[in-house]
Amino acid sequence: MAMPAFLSGIRLWPRTLRARLFVILLAGLTVAHVMSFTALFSERYIAARSVMFNTLENDVATSIAILDRLPAAERAAWLDHLDRGSYRFVLGRGIRGNPMLKPDDAEVASKIQAAIGTKYPIEVESIPGGARRLQAHLRLSDGEPLTIEVTPKGVMPVADWLPYVLIAQLSLLVLCSWFAMRQAIRPLANLARAADTLDPNSNTPRLSETGPREVAYAATAFNAMRDRITQYLEERVQILAAISHDLQTPITRMKLRAEMAEDSVDRDKLIQDLDEVERLVKEGVAYARSAHGNDEKASRLDVASFIESLAYDYQDTGKAVTVGEVSDGAIVTRPHALRRILTNLIDNALKFGGGAEIEAQRHADDTLVIKVLDRGPGIPESQMEAVMKPFFRLEQSRNRDTGGTGLGLAIAQQLATAIGASLTLRNREGGGLAAEIALRQ
C-alpha cells in the first residue's frame, strides 16, 4: 500500500497494513461523525435562537402591557411572576451603560424594540461587567420608568447524558473499524501464513476457499498452485528414482566385467570408480524415497532402547559410537525414518570427527531432542544452511573417503520434515559439531 507523501515523515504512522487501514477508516468515520454532530448542533442552535427571540417578543410585549395597565402600587408584586430565565423587569431607571452595542446585542435590542413598538420609546445599553448583560430603559404610560434587564444565553445548555452518548458512539466506531479491518486483513494474513509454511512434503491443511468472492478466488488459485508444485516435485523425485534405479543394472554388469578382467592398476581404479558411482546411485534412490517418508506408519518405541540398539550396531563393527545421557520414556514416530536420520548423522560424525556420541533429553514442553555430537572441524557459520542442500559438499576435493556424495544431510533433513521433526546444526564450544533432532509430541 502506497503511503501518502505527507505521512511518510510521521514516525507514529503504523507499519502494518491492518493498523494503517484502521487509522484511516477510524479517522474518516470520526471526522464525518464530528461534522454531522456539528451540523446538527448548529441547526439546533439556530432553531432554538429563533424560538427564543419569538418567545422574547411575545413575552415582553405581554408583560409590558400587563404592567402598564396595573396600578402603580401593584406592579412590584407582579415582577416575580413576569421574570424569565434570560430577562427580568425592574421598576426604576436601572444602571447606566454603554449605548454602543455589539452585533449580537444589537439583534436582541431590535427584537425588544419590535416587541414594544413605537408606543414606548426605548433605549438599550450594554452594562459593563464580567457577564453579558443588557438593559432596556423605557417609561410606562403614567411616566414610571421601567427597566428590562436581559442576560442572553451565549451557549445552549447541554444535557448531562450527551457526553456518554458521544463516548458510546466513538466506542462503536472503534469497534466497527477494528472488526472491518479484521475481516479485510485476515484472509491476507492467512494467505501469507500459508505461503510461508508451504511445504508440499508435509500434510499442512489447505487454505479455506470460503468467504467473499475475491478471497475465495485467491485461495483457490493458491491451492491450485500448491497442487502444481506438489505434482512437479513428485515428478522430479520419480524421475530421479527411475534414473537411479535403472543405472544400477549397467553398473553391476560393468563391475562384473571389470572383476573378470586381468589384474592391473587400471582395473582396480575402474572398480573403485564403479563403487563410487554405485554409492551415488544408491544415495540418489534413498534421497528420492526420503521425499515420501510419510508412507511409513508411526509406532511407539522406547527411546533408550532404540538409541542403545543403534549404537551397538556401530560398536559391533568397531566404530567409535558412544551413548551419553538419555532420558527415559517412549515416543511415537516412524522408526525406520528416524533410524535413517540418525545413521546419516552418525556416519557424518564418524567421517569428519572420528567418533560420535548420542544424547537424548526430553524438555518441559514434551519435546524430545536427540543429539549426535562429534569433535571434528565443524562447519563454517556461513555454510550452515548450504550443507542441507542436495549434492553440496564442504570437502570440494574428489577424495572418496572425505568427499562423500553430498546427500547425507539432505536426506536427513528431508526425512526429519516428513516425520514432523526439525534438524538443526550448530558448532560446539571447543570444536566439533552438534546435530539435533527435535521431535514434538
Side-chain angles (χ1 to χ4, degrees), residues 53-346:
F53 282 145
N54 291 334
T55 304
L56 177 65
E57 291 182 22
N58 296 331
D59 286 355
V60 167
T62 303
S63 298
I64 291 177
I66 291 174
L67 292 173
D68 193 34
R69 287 171 173 77
L70 287 173
E74 299 179 8
R75 290 171 181 167
W78 278 83
L79 294 180
D80 291 339
H81 299 288
L82 299 177
D83 287 350
R84 297 293 184 267
S86 59
Y87 65 89
R88 67 188 183 93
F89 294 92
V90 179
L91 295 175
R93 179 66 184 80
I95 304 173
R96 300 298 300 181
N98 184 6
M100 300 297 294
L101 303 179
K102 296 179 180 180
D104 291 343
D105 295 339
E107 184 179 5
V108 176
S110 66
K111 296 297 182 181
I112 296 175
Q113 182 67 53
I116 296 175
T118 58
K119 182 179 180 180
Y120 307 99
I122 186 171
E123 296 179 359
V124 181
E125 298 175 341
S126 175
I127 306 302
R132 181 185 176 192
R133 188 166 57 143
L134 302 175
Q135 284 191 352
H137 308 288
L138 59 94
R139 289 184 179 276
L140 300 176
S141 299
D142 59 0
E144 183 177 5
L146 178 67
T147 299
I148 307 173
E149 183 171 317
V150 182
T151 54
K153 303 296 183 181
V155 180
M156 282 192 310
V158 178
D160 295 336
W161 47 264
L162 186 58
Y164 299 101
V165 172
L166 294 178
I167 293 175
Q169 290 177 333
L170 182 60
S171 301
L172 183 61
L173 286 178
V174 173
L175 181 62
C176 292
S177 300
W178 173 83
F179 182 75
M181 288 306 98
R182 184 173 180 270
Q183 293 297 314
I185 299 300
R186 184 169 58 178
L188 182 60
N190 293 338
L191 181 61
R193 191 180 304 111
D196 187 52
T197 59
L198 177 61
D199 185 1
N201 294 323
S202 61
N203 294 324
T204 54
R206 295 171 63 86
L207 198 61
S208 175
E209 299 179 5
T210 59
R213 180 181 301 174
E214 297 82 1
V215 174
Y217 178 77
T220 302
F222 179 85
N223 289 332
M225 179 193 69
R226 172 181 169 176
D227 294 338
R228 288 195 298 270
I229 293 175
T230 302
Q231 181 181 358
Y232 295 154
L233 290 177
E234 289 180 353
E235 290 177 355
R236 186 199 67 174
V237 169
Q238 291 173 0
I239 292 173
L240 177 60
I243 294 175
S244 300
H245 181 271
D246 292 343
L247 284 174
Q248 292 184 12
T249 300
I251 290 173
T252 302
R253 290 200 302 263
M254 292 172 66
K255 286 183 65 177
L256 290 175
R257 292 170 182 171
E259 290 174 355
M260 294 175 63
E262 296 181 358
D263 294 338
S264 65
V265 176
D266 292 337
R267 171 183 174 273
D268 295 336
K269 290 181 179 181
L270 178 60
I271 293 176
Q272 291 177 358
D273 289 338
L274 290 173
D275 288 338
E276 184 179 3
V277 173
E278 185 178 23
R279 183 174 60 190
L280 181 60
V281 169
K282 290 181 179 180
E283 289 294 330
V285 174
Y287 177 74
R289 290 175 177 173
S290 66
H292 302 282
N294 54 358
D295 293 340
E296 180 188 359
K297 292 184 179 179
S299 61
R300 187 179 183 86
L301 57 86
D302 182 77
V303 176
S305 300
F306 178 80
I307 292 177
E308 289 176 358
S309 173
L310 182 63
Y312 289 157
D313 291 341
Y314 278 95
Q315 292 171 2
D316 289 342
T317 60
K319 303 293 179 62
V321 178
T322 59
V323 178
E325 180 183 355
V326 176
S327 300
D328 294 331
I331 188 173
V332 177
T333 186
R334 301 183 179 95
H336 294 295
L338 180 59
R339 177 178 287 271
R340 182 57 189 270
I341 294 171
L342 294 176
T343 298
N344 285 12
L345 297 178
I346 293 172

Side-chain angles (χ1 to χ4, degrees), residues 40-49 153-159:
L40 180 63
F41 187 84
S42 300
E43 191 276 336
R44 180 186 173 192
Y45 177 78
I46 294 173
R49 184 183 179 89
K153 303 296 183 181
V155 180
M156 282 192 310
V158 178

